[in-house]
Amino acid sequence: MLTIINANLITISQGNIENGKVVINNGKIIDLGADIIVPKESKVYDAKGRYVTPGLIDAHTHVGIHESGTGWEGSDGNESADPLTPFCSVRDGINMKDPAFESFRKSGITSVGILPGSTNILGGTGLALKCKDVVVDEAIIKDPVGMKVALGENPKKHYGEKRSPISRMANASMLRESLLKARQYLNKLELKNDVKRDPLSVALLPVIKKEIPLIIHCHRQDDIATAIRICKEFDVSYRLEHVTEGHMILELIKSENVHCCVGPCLQYGSKVENRNRDFKTAVVFEREGVSFCLTTDHPVVDGRNLMLTASIATQWGVSDEKAFESVTLAAAKHMGVAERVGSLEIGKDGDLVVWSGHPLEFTSFVDMTLIEGEVVYDRGIN
Amino acid sequence: MLMVKADIIYTVSGDPINNGMMLVDDRGKIEDIGVDLTVSENCEVLDISDKVIIPGLIDAHTHVGMWGDGEGRDSYDGNEYLRPITGEVRAIDGVNPMQVSFEGAREGGITTVQILPGSGNPIGGLGFACKTWGKVIDDMIIKDPTGLKGAMGENPKRTHGKGFGHTPISRMGVASMIRDYFEQAKEYGKKKNLANQKGEIFDLDLNLESGWMALERKIPFRIHAHRHDDILTAVRICEEFGLDYSIEHCTDGHLIGDHLGSKKITAMVGPGLSPSTKVETANFTDANPALLAEKGVNVCLITDHPFLNCRYFLTYGAVAHKYGFPFDETLRAMTLNPAKAIGIEERVGSLERGKDADFVVLSGKPFKYKSVIESTFIEGKQVWKRDII
């Protein structure tokens, strides 16, 4: 049992608590507040007035599958021999010894979504895990969190010179046909037992049954609209990733109540489809009440800059409160893991970060990171 | 005439001036700077007494205007990479001043950039320095050329060896080609001088002409080198040929800081905030600027735009400062140091009498998240202003 006392708690879900305490037992927050009693048997850590936030969360990364400093040998995020590989799972490509995980812990990131890349129209399933130094199977929060889909330039650039998809039309038609096949396959399964196994359709069954969402890479406004169109046609759940031009088709996004993972905003307009990359997307989304989290898309922007991304977002007009939420609770909601992580609440995991100064300040350090009550990084400041 | 009144003016060349005033003449030059200056009758006044002013930032290693930001492959003009030795190409011929990256630079408080060819070739071509506002690149130039670009390590190997299957395939090949280039340039230069002395006709070779300029120390050799051994190879070659040089990126510099410090080299450190996407950048650390400066290396911070979007240059400074780069030195590494390293310090890099009135208006002291860039001025003229979204 551990109690952090004398902390300036930024709970995300219940405002800020000055001079607060958090009690963690068996990896879970069992109590928090200003006036709570420290259990006798508990170890005590004095935060000395420092800020404490929930562990940061980046819902869209490629940590462990696009490894830092290793070149092609450590690049396992795209099974780019075929545009339709829904049967792949990132879990089979994650190297937990990627140095980026250590860097994430130092940066206060405790949970990440790891997704296949965006070369394939159907790239495989992504998952949510803790940035713990353990084998991947022990770090999982939720697997799968969804099926990765990519629209726009990436699939057509990779495949287009030799085979389909050559155009955005084929990106859409190949996705449509796959979903149609899977739905028909499910219909057949319900009618008879001896249906010939179709690996693509099998992999898509959880999507058709609405057990997992499609997680759709889309930058340009028309790609976003295509994503929504197809998901509505097939009545499947979905989340949108990047959504660079989302603010340009605000009414559609609002009317469909879409949850968006916006970013990586720190990048430049590396492609035509993301030429309008800007923090404007986030600013407009906050103002208009669209649900969104911010992402680094590590390693596109290095994940250690997640909090920095939130800080810069405030410089362009996002509120401090929304900035905090966008790298914690909103990211947890985006992945459907908010019952465990994303805020300081009784019953949630004891994932906490102690900061040397205001967490949004560029020059503040992470002094200590805890995952499920265990110290996973300590800067050595008491 | 324009009189600017601010809460603090960071001149960089001297102490910060509280309640500072700066008089800008009609040519866009700083006529006077200090406190309690007299405001003449017909002088326009920019009263921003609650704001902070810093010199326009200088990013000494960028590919602004030549990397196809948001335009795709059709606008990639940074590497003439079919041949490994292209001393004849000039960055200025590949830059589009109306490209969005120039606006990004102004948004980021950058008023001067050095634009260099990319790092696909062991000898990449000539770079130049310009202001970040204008329509015609020739009118924006401060100095051209400002250096000959070279590259060590993975990029030339990947571009040529892996990409085209021709030399250079290895780091040895890269070094030998650079050596051979300067040997040829040396021969060329001797012949040229001899011909000039004798008054004989001499055919110019634009490729070798660039190398000869570097050998005559009219321009420095600016060498892309990340890994520590690449940095050392670059230094070795430059010393062999007696070149002025700067090490571009210098990512592993912190591993050999004593050695580099003893030579007082100039390092263009960045791109900041970077991921370690290559093997040669595996040892990237945000503390590199501080660690190098501590050892006596002359540090300039760079975005290497687009690799760090130049809009976020000032945040890179904040992070370098966080990891131990002292405040004054950090600001200098984004202003006066690069101005000197490019050889344009008589015009830009600090707020002093006689220099260009290039400055940035901040809502508070630099490197704080509540301090935002509110507007950017080049030669006394506002070239960007923040709008509320």
PDB file of all heavy atoms in Angstrom, chain A residues 69 268-269 278-279 287 299 304-305 314-316 320 361 364-365, chain B residues 70 273-276 284 286 306 311 322 368-371 386 389:
ATOM      1  N   GLY A  69      15.782   3.579 -33.440  1.00  0.00           N
ATOM      2  CA  GLY A  69      17.205   3.373 -33.695  1.00  0.00           C
ATOM      3  C   GLY A  69      17.591   2.014 -34.224  1.00  0.00           C
ATOM      4  O   GLY A  69      18.725   1.574 -34.032  1.00  0.00           O
ATOM      5  N   TYR A 268       4.988  18.306 -39.894  1.00  0.00           N
ATOM      6  CA  TYR A 268       4.688  19.241 -40.985  1.00  0.00           C
ATOM      7  C   TYR A 268       3.713  18.547 -41.941  1.00  0.00           C
ATOM      8  O   TYR A 268       3.367  17.380 -41.741  1.00  0.00           O
ATOM      9  CB  TYR A 268       5.974  19.656 -41.693  1.00  0.00           C
ATOM     10  CG  TYR A 268       6.550  18.631 -42.638  1.00  0.00           C
ATOM     11  CD1 TYR A 268       6.575  18.862 -44.020  1.00  0.00           C
ATOM     12  CD2 TYR A 268       7.069  17.435 -42.176  1.00  0.00           C
ATOM     13  CE1 TYR A 268       7.107  17.927 -44.888  1.00  0.00           C
ATOM     14  CE2 TYR A 268       7.593  16.494 -43.045  1.00  0.00           C
ATOM     15  CZ  TYR A 268       7.604  16.738 -44.401  1.00  0.00           C
ATOM     16  OH  TYR A 268       8.121  15.823 -45.265  1.00  0.00           O
ATOM     17  N   GLY A 269       3.275  19.258 -42.960  1.00  0.00           N
ATOM     18  CA  GLY A 269       2.393  18.660 -43.952  1.00  0.00           C
ATOM     19  C   GLY A 269       3.193  17.764 -44.870  1.00  0.00           C
ATOM     20  O   GLY A 269       3.606  18.158 -45.951  1.00  0.00           O
ATOM     21  N   ASP A 278      -2.622  21.148 -38.481  1.00  0.00           N
ATOM     22  CA  ASP A 278      -2.552  22.342 -37.647  1.00  0.00           C
ATOM     23  C   ASP A 278      -3.243  22.022 -36.321  1.00  0.00           C
ATOM     24  O   ASP A 278      -4.030  21.077 -36.251  1.00  0.00           O
ATOM     25  CB  ASP A 278      -3.312  23.474 -38.364  1.00  0.00           C
ATOM     26  CG  ASP A 278      -3.015  24.833 -37.766  1.00  0.00           C
ATOM     27  OD1 ASP A 278      -2.332  24.900 -36.726  1.00  0.00           O
ATOM     28  OD2 ASP A 278      -3.474  25.829 -38.335  1.00  0.00           O
ATOM     29  N   PHE A 279      -2.977  22.830 -35.314  1.00  0.00           N
ATOM     30  CA  PHE A 279      -3.716  22.666 -34.058  1.00  0.00           C
ATOM     31  C   PHE A 279      -5.141  23.206 -34.170  1.00  0.00           C
ATOM     32  O   PHE A 279      -5.945  23.044 -33.258  1.00  0.00           O
ATOM     33  CB  PHE A 279      -2.978  23.351 -32.906  1.00  0.00           C
ATOM     34  CG  PHE A 279      -1.813  22.541 -32.425  1.00  0.00           C
ATOM     35  CD1 PHE A 279      -0.540  22.787 -32.879  1.00  0.00           C
ATOM     36  CD2 PHE A 279      -2.007  21.503 -31.528  1.00  0.00           C
ATOM     37  CE1 PHE A 279       0.535  22.028 -32.454  1.00  0.00           C
ATOM     38  CE2 PHE A 279      -0.948  20.734 -31.089  1.00  0.00           C
ATOM     39  CZ  PHE A 279       0.331  20.995 -31.555  1.00  0.00           C
ATOM     40  N   ARG A 287     -14.115  23.804 -29.189  1.00  0.00           N
ATOM     41  CA  ARG A 287     -15.150  24.838 -29.197  1.00  0.00           C
ATOM     42  C   ARG A 287     -16.514  24.250 -29.573  1.00  0.00           C
ATOM     43  O   ARG A 287     -17.545  24.635 -29.045  1.00  0.00           O
ATOM     44  CB  ARG A 287     -14.753  25.951 -30.171  1.00  0.00           C
ATOM     45  CG  ARG A 287     -15.594  27.205 -30.051  1.00  0.00           C
ATOM     46  CD  ARG A 287     -15.105  28.274 -31.014  1.00  0.00           C
ATOM     47  NE  ARG A 287     -15.237  27.820 -32.381  1.00  0.00           N
ATOM     48  CZ  ARG A 287     -14.453  28.218 -33.386  1.00  0.00           C
ATOM     49  NH1 ARG A 287     -13.454  29.056 -33.172  1.00  0.00           N
ATOM     50  NH2 ARG A 287     -14.651  27.770 -34.600  1.00  0.00           N
ATOM     51  N   PRO A 299       6.400   6.609 -34.082  1.00  0.00           N
ATOM     52  CA  PRO A 299       7.504   7.574 -34.032  1.00  0.00           C
ATOM     53  C   PRO A 299       7.397   8.735 -35.014  1.00  0.00           C
ATOM     54  O   PRO A 299       8.403   9.409 -35.255  1.00  0.00           O
ATOM     55  CB  PRO A 299       8.697   6.701 -34.412  1.00  0.00           C
ATOM     56  CG  PRO A 299       8.129   5.734 -35.408  1.00  0.00           C
ATOM     57  CD  PRO A 299       6.695   5.494 -34.989  1.00  0.00           C
ATOM     58  N   ARG A 304       7.633  10.841 -26.606  1.00  0.00           N
ATOM     59  CA  ARG A 304       8.005  11.580 -25.389  1.00  0.00           C
ATOM     60  C   ARG A 304       7.503  13.018 -25.437  1.00  0.00           C
ATOM     61  O   ARG A 304       7.489  13.711 -24.418  1.00  0.00           O
ATOM     62  CB  ARG A 304       9.520  11.524 -25.177  1.00  0.00           C
ATOM     63  CG  ARG A 304      10.337  12.381 -26.114  1.00  0.00           C
ATOM     64  CD  ARG A 304      11.839  12.230 -25.857  1.00  0.00           C
ATOM     65  NE  ARG A 304      12.622  13.184 -26.608  1.00  0.00           N
ATOM     66  CZ  ARG A 304      12.900  13.100 -27.905  1.00  0.00           C
ATOM     67  NH1 ARG A 304      12.452  12.089 -28.603  1.00  0.00           N
ATOM     68  NH2 ARG A 304      13.621  14.017 -28.513  1.00  0.00           N
ATOM     69  N   ASN A 305       7.110  13.481 -26.630  1.00  0.00           N
ATOM     70  CA  ASN A 305       6.603  14.846 -26.771  1.00  0.00           C
ATOM     71  C   ASN A 305       5.082  14.942 -26.627  1.00  0.00           C
ATOM     72  O   ASN A 305       4.487  15.925 -27.052  1.00  0.00           O
ATOM     73  CB  ASN A 305       7.018  15.415 -28.134  1.00  0.00           C
ATOM     74  CG  ASN A 305       8.525  15.481 -28.285  1.00  0.00           C
ATOM     75  OD1 ASN A 305       9.225  15.902 -27.371  1.00  0.00           O
ATOM     76  ND2 ASN A 305       9.031  15.048 -29.419  1.00  0.00           N
ATOM     77  N   THR A 314      -2.302  24.427 -26.286  1.00  0.00           N
ATOM     78  CA  THR A 314      -2.851  25.567 -25.530  1.00  0.00           C
ATOM     79  C   THR A 314      -2.393  26.890 -26.133  1.00  0.00           C
ATOM     80  O   THR A 314      -3.109  27.884 -26.078  1.00  0.00           O
ATOM     81  CB  THR A 314      -2.448  25.538 -24.030  1.00  0.00           C
ATOM     82  OG1 THR A 314      -1.048  25.790 -23.893  1.00  0.00           O
ATOM     83  CG2 THR A 314      -2.827  24.221 -23.381  1.00  0.00           C
ATOM     84  N   GLN A 315      -1.189  26.893 -26.744  1.00  0.00           N
ATOM     85  CA  GLN A 315      -0.709  28.141 -27.347  1.00  0.00           C
ATOM     86  C   GLN A 315      -1.554  28.553 -28.553  1.00  0.00           C
ATOM     87  O   GLN A 315      -1.580  29.722 -28.925  1.00  0.00           O
ATOM     88  CB  GLN A 315       0.753  27.986 -27.773  1.00  0.00           C
ATOM     89  CG  GLN A 315       1.686  27.734 -26.588  1.00  0.00           C
ATOM     90  CD  GLN A 315       3.129  28.004 -26.938  1.00  0.00           C
ATOM     91  OE1 GLN A 315       3.586  27.688 -28.033  1.00  0.00           O
ATOM     92  NE2 GLN A 315       3.862  28.576 -26.006  1.00  0.00           N
ATOM     93  N   TRP A 316      -2.200  27.561 -29.163  1.00  0.00           N
ATOM     94  CA  TRP A 316      -3.030  27.869 -30.334  1.00  0.00           C
ATOM     95  C   TRP A 316      -4.495  27.999 -29.956  1.00  0.00           C
ATOM     96  O   TRP A 316      -5.344  28.202 -30.826  1.00  0.00           O
ATOM     97  CB  TRP A 316      -2.821  26.822 -31.431  1.00  0.00           C
ATOM     98  CG  TRP A 316      -1.421  26.905 -31.944  1.00  0.00           C
ATOM     99  CD1 TRP A 316      -0.344  26.213 -31.502  1.00  0.00           C
ATOM    100  CD2 TRP A 316      -0.922  27.801 -32.950  1.00  0.00           C
ATOM    101  NE1 TRP A 316       0.801  26.611 -32.175  1.00  0.00           N
ATOM    102  CE2 TRP A 316       0.468  27.579 -33.065  1.00  0.00           C
ATOM    103  CE3 TRP A 316      -1.513  28.767 -33.766  1.00  0.00           C
ATOM    104  CZ2 TRP A 316       1.281  28.278 -33.959  1.00  0.00           C
ATOM    105  CZ3 TRP A 316      -0.703  29.460 -34.668  1.00  0.00           C
ATOM    106  CH2 TRP A 316       0.670  29.221 -34.751  1.00  0.00           C
ATOM    107  N   ASP A 320      -6.405  24.748 -21.052  1.00  0.00           N
ATOM    108  CA  ASP A 320      -5.526  23.889 -20.255  1.00  0.00           C
ATOM    109  C   ASP A 320      -6.251  22.600 -19.861  1.00  0.00           C
ATOM    110  O   ASP A 320      -5.686  21.508 -19.923  1.00  0.00           O
ATOM    111  CB  ASP A 320      -5.064  24.608 -18.980  1.00  0.00           C
ATOM    112  CG  ASP A 320      -3.980  25.637 -19.263  1.00  0.00           C
ATOM    113  OD1 ASP A 320      -3.794  25.978 -20.451  1.00  0.00           O
ATOM    114  OD2 ASP A 320      -3.336  26.107 -18.294  1.00  0.00           O
ATOM    115  N   GLU A 361       4.066  23.138 -18.438  1.00  0.00           N
ATOM    116  CA  GLU A 361       5.227  24.003 -18.630  1.00  0.00           C
ATOM    117  C   GLU A 361       6.311  23.221 -19.374  1.00  0.00           C
ATOM    118  O   GLU A 361       6.601  22.068 -19.040  1.00  0.00           O
ATOM    119  CB  GLU A 361       5.739  24.477 -17.259  1.00  0.00           C
ATOM    120  CG  GLU A 361       6.643  25.685 -17.329  1.00  0.00           C
ATOM    121  CD  GLU A 361       6.007  26.878 -18.033  1.00  0.00           C
ATOM    122  OE1 GLU A 361       5.224  27.612 -17.398  1.00  0.00           O
ATOM    123  OE2 GLU A 361       6.295  27.059 -19.214  1.00  0.00           O
ATOM    124  N   SER A 364       9.147  21.654 -17.283  1.00  0.00           N
ATOM    125  CA  SER A 364       8.869  20.751 -16.158  1.00  0.00           C
ATOM    126  C   SER A 364       9.336  19.334 -16.470  1.00  0.00           C
ATOM    127  O   SER A 364       9.176  18.854 -17.590  1.00  0.00           O
ATOM    128  CB  SER A 364       7.372  20.714 -15.855  1.00  0.00           C
ATOM    129  OG  SER A 364       6.957  21.959 -15.360  1.00  0.00           O
ATOM    130  N   PHE A 365       9.864  18.692 -15.455  1.00  0.00           N
ATOM    131  CA  PHE A 365      10.290  17.301 -15.602  1.00  0.00           C
ATOM    132  C   PHE A 365       9.246  16.367 -15.007  1.00  0.00           C
ATOM    133  O   PHE A 365       8.522  16.738 -14.081  1.00  0.00           O
ATOM    134  CB  PHE A 365      11.593  17.049 -14.844  1.00  0.00           C
ATOM    135  CG  PHE A 365      12.805  17.556 -15.551  1.00  0.00           C
ATOM    136  CD1 PHE A 365      13.315  18.822 -15.270  1.00  0.00           C
ATOM    137  CD2 PHE A 365      13.457  16.770 -16.507  1.00  0.00           C
ATOM    138  CE1 PHE A 365      14.441  19.294 -15.923  1.00  0.00           C
ATOM    139  CE2 PHE A 365      14.584  17.235 -17.153  1.00  0.00           C
ATOM    140  CZ  PHE A 365      15.078  18.499 -16.868  1.00  0.00           C
TER     141      PHE A 365
ATOM    142  N   GLY B  70       3.058  19.613 -47.890  1.00  0.00           N
ATOM    143  CA  GLY B  70       1.661  19.569 -48.304  1.00  0.00           C
ATOM    144  C   GLY B  70       1.457  19.525 -49.810  1.00  0.00           C
ATOM    145  O   GLY B  70       0.346  19.655 -50.285  1.00  0.00           O
ATOM    146  N   LEU B 273      13.633  17.665 -30.678  1.00  0.00           N
ATOM    147  CA  LEU B 273      12.423  16.902 -30.340  1.00  0.00           C
ATOM    148  C   LEU B 273      12.277  15.640 -31.178  1.00  0.00           C
ATOM    149  O   LEU B 273      11.217  15.053 -31.300  1.00  0.00           O
ATOM    150  CB  LEU B 273      11.144  17.756 -30.518  1.00  0.00           C
ATOM    151  CG  LEU B 273      11.176  19.180 -29.979  1.00  0.00           C
ATOM    152  CD1 LEU B 273       9.843  19.862 -30.250  1.00  0.00           C
ATOM    153  CD2 LEU B 273      11.501  19.210 -28.507  1.00  0.00           C
ATOM    154  N   SER B 274      13.385  15.206 -31.770  1.00  0.00           N
ATOM    155  CA  SER B 274      13.354  14.213 -32.834  1.00  0.00           C
ATOM    156  C   SER B 274      13.139  12.793 -32.321  1.00  0.00           C
ATOM    157  O   SER B 274      13.571  12.459 -31.231  1.00  0.00           O
ATOM    158  CB  SER B 274      14.706  14.294 -33.538  1.00  0.00           C
ATOM    159  OG  SER B 274      14.669  13.683 -34.766  1.00  0.00           O
ATOM    160  N   PRO B 275      12.475  11.952 -33.127  1.00  0.00           N
ATOM    161  CA  PRO B 275      12.471  10.521 -32.827  1.00  0.00           C
ATOM    162  C   PRO B 275      13.763   9.895 -33.358  1.00  0.00           C
ATOM    163  O   PRO B 275      14.399  10.458 -34.238  1.00  0.00           O
ATOM    164  CB  PRO B 275      11.275  10.004 -33.619  1.00  0.00           C
ATOM    165  CG  PRO B 275      11.149  10.938 -34.776  1.00  0.00           C
ATOM    166  CD  PRO B 275      11.707  12.270 -34.336  1.00  0.00           C
ATOM    167  N   SER B 276      14.143   8.733 -32.811  1.00  0.00           N
ATOM    168  CA  SER B 276      15.328   8.029 -33.327  1.00  0.00           C
ATOM    169  C   SER B 276      14.878   7.080 -34.426  1.00  0.00           C
ATOM    170  O   SER B 276      14.747   5.894 -34.206  1.00  0.00           O
ATOM    171  CB  SER B 276      15.997   7.237 -32.208  1.00  0.00           C
ATOM    172  OG  SER B 276      16.401   8.101 -31.189  1.00  0.00           O
ATOM    173  N   PHE B 284      20.080   9.778 -29.863  1.00  0.00           N
ATOM    174  CA  PHE B 284      19.533  11.140 -29.766  1.00  0.00           C
ATOM    175  C   PHE B 284      19.143  11.471 -28.328  1.00  0.00           C
ATOM    176  O   PHE B 284      18.508  10.683 -27.648  1.00  0.00           O
ATOM    177  CB  PHE B 284      18.302  11.278 -30.665  1.00  0.00           C
ATOM    178  CG  PHE B 284      17.751  12.677 -30.674  1.00  0.00           C
ATOM    179  CD1 PHE B 284      18.110  13.558 -31.679  1.00  0.00           C
ATOM    180  CD2 PHE B 284      16.914  13.128 -29.668  1.00  0.00           C
ATOM    181  CE1 PHE B 284      17.630  14.858 -31.682  1.00  0.00           C
ATOM    182  CE2 PHE B 284      16.438  14.430 -29.654  1.00  0.00           C
ATOM    183  CZ  PHE B 284      16.787  15.290 -30.669  1.00  0.00           C
ATOM    184  N   ASP B 286      17.716  14.990 -25.894  1.00  0.00           N
ATOM    185  CA  ASP B 286      17.344  16.407 -25.796  1.00  0.00           C
ATOM    186  C   ASP B 286      18.416  17.218 -25.070  1.00  0.00           C
ATOM    187  O   ASP B 286      18.413  18.442 -25.122  1.00  0.00           O
ATOM    188  CB  ASP B 286      16.011  16.551 -25.039  1.00  0.00           C
ATOM    189  CG  ASP B 286      14.829  16.006 -25.820  1.00  0.00           C
ATOM    190  OD1 ASP B 286      14.771  16.227 -27.045  1.00  0.00           O
ATOM    191  OD2 ASP B 286      13.946  15.367 -25.209  1.00  0.00           O
ATOM    192  N   PRO B 306      11.833  20.167 -42.936  1.00  0.00           N
ATOM    193  CA  PRO B 306      10.582  19.855 -42.242  1.00  0.00           C
ATOM    194  C   PRO B 306      10.709  18.823 -41.123  1.00  0.00           C
ATOM    195  O   PRO B 306       9.697  18.422 -40.581  1.00  0.00           O
ATOM    196  CB  PRO B 306       9.734  19.264 -43.370  1.00  0.00           C
ATOM    197  CG  PRO B 306      10.732  18.517 -44.195  1.00  0.00           C
ATOM    198  CD  PRO B 306      11.981  19.368 -44.158  1.00  0.00           C
ATOM    199  N   ARG B 311       7.696  25.878 -37.282  1.00  0.00           N
ATOM    200  CA  ARG B 311       6.755  26.595 -36.408  1.00  0.00           C
ATOM    201  C   ARG B 311       7.090  26.411 -34.934  1.00  0.00           C
ATOM    202  O   ARG B 311       6.750  27.230 -34.100  1.00  0.00           O
ATOM    203  CB  ARG B 311       5.356  25.999 -36.574  1.00  0.00           C
ATOM    204  CG  ARG B 311       4.550  26.524 -37.668  1.00  0.00           C
ATOM    205  CD  ARG B 311       3.241  25.772 -37.651  1.00  0.00           C
ATOM    206  NE  ARG B 311       2.130  26.653 -37.409  1.00  0.00           N
ATOM    207  CZ  ARG B 311       0.899  26.212 -37.162  1.00  0.00           C
ATOM    208  NH1 ARG B 311       0.645  24.937 -37.108  1.00  0.00           N
ATOM    209  NH2 ARG B 311      -0.075  27.055 -36.983  1.00  0.00           N
ATOM    210  N   LYS B 322      15.414  23.266 -20.823  1.00  0.00           N
ATOM    211  CA  LYS B 322      14.992  22.347 -19.766  1.00  0.00           C
ATOM    212  C   LYS B 322      16.110  21.368 -19.407  1.00  0.00           C
ATOM    213  O   LYS B 322      16.328  21.053 -18.240  1.00  0.00           O
ATOM    214  CB  LYS B 322      13.749  21.586 -20.241  1.00  0.00           C
ATOM    215  CG  LYS B 322      13.354  20.382 -19.384  1.00  0.00           C
ATOM    216  CD  LYS B 322      12.162  19.645 -19.986  1.00  0.00           C
ATOM    217  CE  LYS B 322      11.881  18.360 -19.223  1.00  0.00           C
ATOM    218  NZ  LYS B 322      10.712  17.632 -19.738  1.00  0.00           N
ATOM    219  N   LYS B 368       8.316  29.730 -22.054  1.00  0.00           N
ATOM    220  CA  LYS B 368       7.223  29.363 -21.153  1.00  0.00           C
ATOM    221  C   LYS B 368       5.977  29.079 -21.993  1.00  0.00           C
ATOM    222  O   LYS B 368       5.761  29.707 -23.021  1.00  0.00           O
ATOM    223  CB  LYS B 368       6.948  30.480 -20.143  1.00  0.00           C
ATOM    224  CG  LYS B 368       8.185  30.849 -19.331  1.00  0.00           C
ATOM    225  CD  LYS B 368       7.868  31.820 -18.218  1.00  0.00           C
ATOM    226  CE  LYS B 368       7.296  31.144 -17.005  1.00  0.00           C
ATOM    227  NZ  LYS B 368       8.222  30.207 -16.346  1.00  0.00           N
ATOM    228  N   TYR B 369       5.153  28.130 -21.531  1.00  0.00           N
ATOM    229  CA  TYR B 369       4.031  27.756 -22.388  1.00  0.00           C
ATOM    230  C   TYR B 369       2.965  28.824 -22.486  1.00  0.00           C
ATOM    231  O   TYR B 369       2.220  28.869 -23.454  1.00  0.00           O
ATOM    232  CB  TYR B 369       3.448  26.388 -21.972  1.00  0.00           C
ATOM    233  CG  TYR B 369       2.322  26.386 -20.964  1.00  0.00           C
ATOM    234  CD1 TYR B 369       1.013  26.163 -21.356  1.00  0.00           C
ATOM    235  CD2 TYR B 369       2.585  26.584 -19.612  1.00  0.00           C
ATOM    236  CE1 TYR B 369      -0.024  26.143 -20.427  1.00  0.00           C
ATOM    237  CE2 TYR B 369       1.561  26.557 -18.680  1.00  0.00           C
ATOM    238  CZ  TYR B 369       0.257  26.344 -19.087  1.00  0.00           C
ATOM    239  OH  TYR B 369      -0.756  26.327 -18.175  1.00  0.00           O
ATOM    240  N   LYS B 370       2.917  29.697 -21.504  1.00  0.00           N
ATOM    241  CA  LYS B 370       1.961  30.802 -21.582  1.00  0.00           C
ATOM    242  C   LYS B 370       2.484  31.960 -22.443  1.00  0.00           C
ATOM    243  O   LYS B 370       1.758  32.922 -22.694  1.00  0.00           O
ATOM    244  CB  LYS B 370       1.629  31.321 -20.180  1.00  0.00           C
ATOM    245  CG  LYS B 370       0.788  30.363 -19.338  1.00  0.00           C
ATOM    246  CD  LYS B 370      -0.678  30.331 -19.764  1.00  0.00           C
ATOM    247  CE  LYS B 370      -1.505  29.462 -18.818  1.00  0.00           C
ATOM    248  NZ  LYS B 370      -2.829  29.138 -19.408  1.00  0.00           N
ATOM    249  N   SER B 371       3.750  31.871 -22.843  1.00  0.00           N
ATOM    250  CA  SER B 371       4.310  32.920 -23.699  1.00  0.00           C
ATOM    251  C   SER B 371       4.150  32.506 -25.153  1.00  0.00           C
ATOM    252  O   SER B 371       4.858  31.621 -25.619  1.00  0.00           O
ATOM    253  CB  SER B 371       5.796  33.121 -23.403  1.00  0.00           C
ATOM    254  OG  SER B 371       5.985  33.495 -22.066  1.00  0.00           O
ATOM    255  N   ARG B 386      -0.777  36.736 -35.040  1.00  0.00           N
ATOM    256  CA  ARG B 386      -1.646  35.644 -34.604  1.00  0.00           C
ATOM    257  C   ARG B 386      -3.113  36.082 -34.641  1.00  0.00           C
ATOM    258  O   ARG B 386      -3.458  37.122 -34.108  1.00  0.00           O
ATOM    259  CB  ARG B 386      -1.273  35.242 -33.177  1.00  0.00           C
ATOM    260  CG  ARG B 386      -2.149  34.147 -32.573  1.00  0.00           C
ATOM    261  CD  ARG B 386      -1.672  33.800 -31.184  1.00  0.00           C
ATOM    262  NE  ARG B 386      -0.313  33.291 -31.237  1.00  0.00           N
ATOM    263  CZ  ARG B 386      -0.006  32.000 -31.355  1.00  0.00           C
ATOM    264  NH1 ARG B 386      -0.958  31.099 -31.423  1.00  0.00           N
ATOM    265  NH2 ARG B 386       1.239  31.609 -31.404  1.00  0.00           N
ATOM    266  N   ILE B 389      -8.311  31.726 -33.439  1.00  0.00           N
ATOM    267  CA  ILE B 389      -9.013  30.747 -34.278  1.00  0.00           C
ATOM    268  C   ILE B 389     -10.492  30.728 -33.887  1.00  0.00           C
ATOM    269  O   ILE B 389     -10.814  30.629 -32.724  1.00  0.00           O
ATOM    270  CB  ILE B 389      -8.404  29.326 -34.115  1.00  0.00           C
ATOM    271  CG1 ILE B 389      -6.974  29.306 -34.637  1.00  0.00           C
ATOM    272  CG2 ILE B 389      -9.246  28.297 -34.853  1.00  0.00           C
ATOM    273  CD1 ILE B 389      -6.213  28.053 -34.273  1.00  0.00           C
TER     274      ILE B 389
END
